[in-house]
Amino acid sequence: MLVAMDCETYLIAPGLAAPPVVCVSFFSGGDSDLLLREDALPFLHALLDDSDVVVVGHNTRYDWVCLCNADPTLLPKVFRAYDEGRIRCTMVREKLIQLAFGRLADDHEHGGKLRLRYSLDAVAKERLGIDIRAAKKGSDSWRLRYRELDGVPVASWPRAAREYALDDARITYAIYAEQTKGCIDPDAPETPGIPDEIPQTRSAFWLQLMGAWGIRTDIVRVNALAEQVQADMVRMDQILREAGILKSRITKGREVWSKNMLALRDRVKRVYPDNLVIPLTAQGQVATDRETLIASGDPVLVAAGERSAAEKLLSTFIPTLLQGTQGPICPNWSELKASGRTSCWGPNLQQPPRKGGIRECFVPRPRYLFAVCDYSYIELCTLAQVCIDIFGYSVLGQAITLGLDPHLDMAALLLGLSYE
């Protein structure tokens, strides 16, 4: 049996990625129900205990993290249901379907300019041809107001509040059915599905748990970093003013400095090394990006390039790092990109800058530690195994099995040298 589920919660806030649940709506194809948190939790226990029930939601990882925060005894049952493929997500399914058609990142039929969205209303419009955005706007919209109804009997709710919550479950159910058409999982041909759906859905939940738990920072290190960056900015601004790269103007009675782009481009053309072609933008202008400026080797242009990085530190990273001294920094995660990798933002904890002291600001909580592990050329190992699985052999796999470093092995081949 398939049961669609959706939660309405308090609003997400800094340090609170799993806010309190107000209600949970359910739809099973014919019957729908809307239960307050206290009544929904026992019902969810029963659903998870029933091995014949598949529970589907849209961005369901968020719902389950909030529910497990409300009732931690749900957590082992949720983990088991994910492992058994009894929790599905229409957002993850839609990403996998779009990935299969090469459209996960951008809609290439529109020149790569149209970014595909995976919110419930975007997928509903694409799959079902219905526009539910209107219900999320206006004075009668309850999308961001369910906190007002916490503890109020559902029978006393305004009709619009009840219908909005129920519609999310109904629409999710319909999207799941539409996505399933023509999709057969080769590992379970008797069950309609999408290849890799269960592992991707499960990993989305893990990533949501990571984001909700968050990470902390050390106040002493953050303050030291901020002071250092500000001192660097003063030093670089002095260099750029003397070179005419920064120009001043009076705005509202005070002096404001901004980049003199004409002077910056002119200096790039004058000082760029003779053995390097001056990079141009897509519009044919002399490039002034950080890489171009630093590659010039000119002290003034290097200062201009480093200044942009320092400016980003002050405006983006420092405020976030300061937040981590008061409460957890809870980044957002995407379980699937076109490359097959994950992504992280707000901040990007997967790729924090190596330089500048940012990574050193993160600290484990009391009684915890950071553990670091790595696999040697794991991507090449998995590629070799895929070749073995599909074709029955892999030259790359043979090299790895012999204990060779595949990077050195390839370098030797390209250079015409022996591996030794």
Side-chain angles (χ1 to χ4, degrees), residues 54-66:
V54 173
V55 184
V56 61
H58 193 85
N59 192 24
T60 192
R61 59 182 184 172
Y62 170 77
D63 292 339
W64 284 113
V65 168
C66 292

Side-chain angles (χ1 to χ4, degrees), residues 145-168:
R145 298 172 51 197
Y146 279 91
R147 175 178 183 171
E148 301 172 25
L149 300 173
D150 193 8
V152 178
V154 172
S156 301
W157 285 18
R159 183 176 181 276
R162 294 196 305 270
E163 290 302 311
Y164 178 91
L166 288 168
D167 279 347
D168 279 356

Side-chain angles (χ1 to χ4, degrees), residues 112-165:
K113 297 180 181 179
L114 180 61
R115 178 70 64 177
L116 297 180
R117 303 295 181 184
Y118 298 96
S119 62
L120 182 63
D121 50 344
V123 178
K125 189 171 184 179
E126 175 71 20
R127 287 278 167 189
L128 308 176
I130 60 176
D131 189 351
I132 61 176
R133 288 177 297 179
K136 297 184 177 182
K137 300 178 181 179
S139 58
D140 199 30
S141 172
W142 283 92
R143 175 170 173 260
L144 305 177
R145 298 172 51 197
Y146 279 91
R147 175 178 183 171
E148 301 172 25
L149 300 173
D150 193 8
V152 178
V154 172
S156 301
W157 285 18
R159 183 176 181 276
R162 294 196 305 270
E163 290 302 311
Y164 178 91

Side-chain angles (χ1 to χ4, degrees), residues 1-7 24-28 31 33 35 39-57 60 64 67 74 76-78 80-82 84-87 169:
M1 181 176 71
L2 181 70
V3 177
M5 177 201 77
D6 184 76
C7 290
V24 187
S25 55
F26 301 92
F27 183 70
S28 58
D31 299 324
D33 204 355
L35 301 177
D39 297 322
L41 291 173
F43 184 60
L44 287 165
H45 274 281
L47 287 180
L48 294 174
D49 287 337
D50 190 337
S51 60
D52 293 326
V53 171
V54 173
V55 184
V56 61
T60 192
W64 284 113
L67 288 165
L74 274 174
K77 297 183 179 182
V78 171
R80 184 173 66 248
Y82 268 107
E84 295 173 353
R86 293 191 293 109
I87 293 179

